[in-house]
Amino acid sequence: MIYVAILGFGVVGSGAAEVLASNRAVIEKNLGKAVTVKRILDLREFPDSPFGHLVTHDFNDILNDPEISVVAEMMGGSHPAYDFTKACLEAGKHVVTSNKEVVARFGAELLEIAAAHGVRYLFEASVGGGIPVIRPMVNDLASNEIERVDGILNGTTNYILTQMIAGATFENALKEAQAKGYAEANPAADVEGLDAARKIVILAALSFGTLLSPDKIHCEGITKLTLADVAVAKKLGCSIKLIGHTERSNGKVLAMVSPRLVPLDNPLSGITDVFNGILVDANMVGKVMFYGAGAGKLPTASAVVADIIDIVAHMESDNVRAPKFTVATDADYADFSAYACRTCVAFENTAGAAEKIAAVFGDVKTVTEGDRIAFISDEMTEKTLTDLIAKTDLTLCSRIRVLG
Amino acid sequence: MIYVAILGFGVVGSGAAEVLASNRAVIEKNLGKAVTVKRILDLREFPDSPFGHLVTHDFNDILNDPEISVVAEMMGGSHPAYDFTKACLEAGKHVVTSNKEVVARFGAELLEIAAAHGVRYLFEASVGGGIPVIRPMVNDLASNEIERVDGILNGTTNYILTQMIAGATFENALKEAQAKGYAEANPAADVEGLDAARKIVILAALSFGTLLSPDKIHCEGITKLTLADVAVAKKLGCSIKLIGHTERSNGKVLAMVSPRLVPLDNPLSGITDVFNGILVDANMVGKVMFYGAGAGKLPTASAVVADIIDIVAHMESDNVRAPKFTVATDADYADFSAYACRTCVAFENTAGAAEKIAAVFGDVKTVTEGDRIAFISDEMTEKTLTDLIAKTDLTLCSRIRVLG
């Protein structure tokens, strides 16, 4: 019998208890061992939960219990989640987590502490909710050099953008997302892109070995997107998605989050509602994509429990591969101002606009939509684009990067 | 240093040697050990290959070499691939393979032999080419009961169907697939669905623990599909794909291969060209999809090498989870005649057709396309549908199952 403790009995924490209980038989069959929740740490009481009698308010009840060998941290936030994780690892307990904030900020240090104490720190659920992506990247793509990753990493913003493509305004779509429980009352971390930024730095660390700070990468959310932008994208044969992007750039690492036009032949373009997709480009296998529910109680809990199973399956092995990455130094950050991509530029469609665009941008295909004229530029840096836009002497409506 | 032997130096075999050589550095970094090809078995000589000096024509040179601990079988066909695999496992060598024919026919026995000899038999590359799908199903979905799997499992047929959706006839699309090297001179195994049947029985075995025979499941190819079928599908908001499907049905296992209309909101609908996608439905995580290059030299070789890396990483561990399944008995096969699904039915659009359809099928939405009238039926068995079709007294043009 393997005893597990749960830190944080919120949505994901209670989901993990539920997955372990409902799928007890299949888990025991797969492992040859039963896995049981022994204690749950939360400040609240849960008299109506079947797990209510396991609740403690004292972290030491878990830390000092030698029977508990695996701790699942699903508290959210940096503190005390980070502190409890560190204490558990130092006490020789394995830790699994869905907490992207802790992984994005302290993942390198916690992996090192885990290795030093002969235990494991796994975080499949921190990116893509229930989608298997971290373990496949570490194990299945181990024969590859990963070249870039593009992902729809936040379900809330993808739901809002899906609603906008169907005609809703940003404000109404956000209200609906809140009513359905997808978005928090304070949706800033989602709509401003910070949640996606945390996830893309985790994926960048797995791909390139360097953990950037989510606060130091370029991060734009979706709050400035309008229905006119969506309509222009459609005319250009694209959908609009919030994309986390990372690539290696001259030995450094570039990571960023921003809205992008996604051409319809890219498999990310068709991902709707709260689903997520992570498209990985690797030097031997080419493009592979992982798709599924990017959030939600049971999907995310399913990934947490998969990590617990992985740990239990390899408990007696001293030769388990762990992801390895180090904290980025300033020298690891690629120069964002040198990043070049194609961009969708929309101007007010005033007299002679098409000619002015052609004079500055050359032979680009323009479309008109409402009072706008728009086109997709060649690949260029932000600065070059800004200079060319100024040269047209036209009124800019919007500029949105293109994925490609 | 880990020494590997390659059986069969064709497309995938030479790709595996290339992946091991080109990505030597990243593989050694991930493993902490170098992996080198020591011998290659093939009947031919390869004087121009950088690996030509490793070729032997005598299997015993590999079988009896105690330094070779991992054998990668990429010969194709059942014999002698099966026999060599068995001999290697019995000699205490790990075996990895891309050979779906051997896995679909002998996988249960070979896994048992491997377990009995304390070695592993891995076959990630046998389904979905380079796409990580088998290991994620075994490891990441271990906290779930898998409920069903639907997959685009054959790149050749998906390429042909993509060309047909763009307007090419089946014959021309097939010729183009052959010219591009996607289809064999004898394309029967692809276009008749047998290749997909082998892959869906492997996925069914991983999902439900029972290895059905690919010869005993319902298997239809794409040779009877016409451009009229494609046009009707489009009118109904669907694409047409060759789908391998498996589900648990009253404690038995149903597996089948057939063309299907795929509604555009299903993520499999947008998978074009030679790409594959495997959509797994599991009780906790919901739907997850794995997407990528379903065939090709380097992608498939990338999966073979991922298996080699997995083996080397866990070589000193005696507690590695292996997939487990047994050979199906007759009692394990679900009754195909009881299988119910929605079906797209197209009739000749003769006078009064719409009324006759309404009289028999009730309130279904019909579309007309050329000289056809078509609709999607409710969920029903083949027999019920056949009886209703007869009742309409209309001339049937085609009937194609709908995925849903």
Side-chain angles (χ1 to χ4, degrees), chain A residues 38-65:
Chain A
K38 189 172 180 195
R39 299 311 291 267
I40 294 166
L41 179 73
D42 205 290
L43 294 176
R44 299 162 288 182
E45 296 285 349
F46 297 87
D48 300 333
S49 161
F51 306 101
H53 62 290
L54 303 177
V55 170
T56 172
H57 309 309
D58 183 358
F59 172 60
N60 288 311
D61 286 348
I62 290 165
L63 186 67
N64 298 327
D65 185 336

Side-chain angles (χ1 to χ4, degrees), chain A residues 23 30 124 130 132 135 140 142-145 283-285 287-289 291-292 298-299 302 305-306 313 317 319 321, chain B residues 19 23 30 124 130 132 135 140 142-145 283-285 287-289 291-292 298-299 302 305-306 313 317 319 321:
Chain A
N23 282 2
N30 283 331
E124 179 63 67
R135 200 174 347 261
D140 292 87
S143 55
N144 285 255
E145 292 267 13
N283 71 340
M284 294 292 145
V285 75
K287 286 181 200 299
V288 295
M289 186 176 79
Y291 163 95
L298 294 179
S302 155
V305 175
S317 165
N319 188 25
R321 266 176 312 153
Chain B
V19 170
N23 281 2
N30 283 330
E124 180 63 66
R135 201 175 346 263
D140 292 88
S143 55
N144 284 256
E145 292 266 13
N283 71 339
M284 294 292 145
V285 75
K287 286 181 199 298
V288 296
M289 186 177 79
Y291 163 96
L298 294 179
S302 155
V305 175
S317 163
N319 187 24
R321 264 177 312 153

Side-chain angles (χ1 to χ4, degrees), chain B residues 17 40 63 104 108 127 143 167 172 209 224 245 253 278 318 322 378 389 403:
Chain B
I40 293 166
L63 186 67
V127 178
S143 55
N172 287 340
K224 285 174 199 143
H245 167 81
V253 179
I278 297 101
D318 54 0
D378 292 341
I389 287 170
L403 189 65

Side-chain angles (χ1 to χ4, degrees), chain A residues 101-378:
Chain A
E101 195 173 329
V102 169
V103 179
R105 282 180 204 283
F106 306 107
E109 181 195 347
L110 292 171
L111 281 169
E112 207 177 299
I113 294 173
H117 290 81
V119 289
R120 298 171 75 196
Y121 179 55
L122 297 182
F123 41 86
E124 179 63 67
S126 68
V127 179
I131 307 171
V133 56
I134 290 181
R135 200 174 347 261
M137 279 177 74
V138 173
N139 293 342
D140 292 87
L141 303 182
S143 55
N144 285 255
E145 292 267 13
I146 292 173
E147 293 175 342
R148 65 182 273 184
V149 181
D150 294 286
I152 296 172
L153 301 171
N154 179 273
T156 306
T157 48
N158 204 50
Y159 179 82
I160 291 172
L161 291 172
T162 303
Q163 296 303 108
M164 288 177 72
I165 289 167
T169 61
F170 172 79
E171 291 71 22
N172 287 340
L174 172 58
K175 267 182 216 151
E176 204 176 315
Q178 287 169 323
K180 292 202 169 182
Y182 300 150
E184 311 276 331
N186 177 355
D190 290 325
V191 300
E192 301 289 357
L194 177 57
D195 178 75
R198 290 173 180 148
K199 291 167 178 169
I200 198 68
V201 302
I202 296 172
L203 294 174
L206 294 166
S207 304
F208 309 123
T210 298
L211 183 64
L212 309 179
S213 163
D215 302 325
K216 289 188 187 165
I217 68 171
H218 180 86
C219 179
E220 272 172 69
I222 62 164
T223 54
K224 285 174 199 142
L225 292 180
T226 63
L227 288 180
D229 295 327
V230 172
V232 163
K234 206 168 177 180
K235 269 261 165 95
L236 289 163
C238 296
S239 56
I240 295 190
K241 302 288 175 193
L242 183 67
I243 298 287
H245 167 81
T246 184
E247 63 179 55
R248 206 188 263 293
S249 167
N250 298 321
K252 303 182 176 210
V253 179
L254 180 100
M256 60 185 289
V257 172
S258 74
R260 299 255 188 176
L261 265 66
V262 183
L264 293 187
D265 61 1
N266 185 306
L268 293 174
S269 71
I271 295 179
T272 55
D273 295 325
V274 291
F275 286 93
N276 285 12
I278 297 103
L279 185 63
V280 181
D281 249 298
N283 71 340
M284 294 292 145
V285 75
K287 286 181 200 299
V288 295
M289 186 176 79
F290 305 94
Y291 163 95
K297 176 176 177 167
L298 294 179
T300 308
S302 155
V304 170
V305 175
D307 277 349
I308 295 175
I309 292 176
D310 187 341
I311 283 171
V312 176
H314 298 110
M315 245 173 193
E316 284 129 48
S317 165
D318 54 0
N319 188 25
V320 168
R321 266 176 312 153
K324 260 175 256 155
F325 44 78
T326 53
V327 176
T329 63
D330 285 351
D332 291 320
Y333 289 80
D335 176 10
F336 181 68
S337 71
Y339 173 70
C341 68
R342 297 189 301 155
T343 304
C344 169
V345 183
F347 290 116
E348 278 183 20
N349 191 12
T350 44
E355 292 70 26
K356 288 179 182 170
I357 290 169
V360 175
F361 285 93
D363 186 23
V364 291
K365 182 180 161 266
T366 58
V367 297
T368 59
E369 170 61 40
D371 58 357
R372 295 184 171 193
I373 182 165
F375 63 94
I376 292 176
S377 78
D378 292 340

Side-chain angles (χ1 to χ4, degrees), chain B residues 318-340:
Chain B
D318 54 0
N319 187 24
V320 170
R321 264 177 312 153
K324 258 175 258 159
F325 44 78
T326 53
V327 175
T329 63
D330 285 350
D332 292 320
Y333 288 81
D335 177 11
F336 181 67
S337 70
Y339 174 70

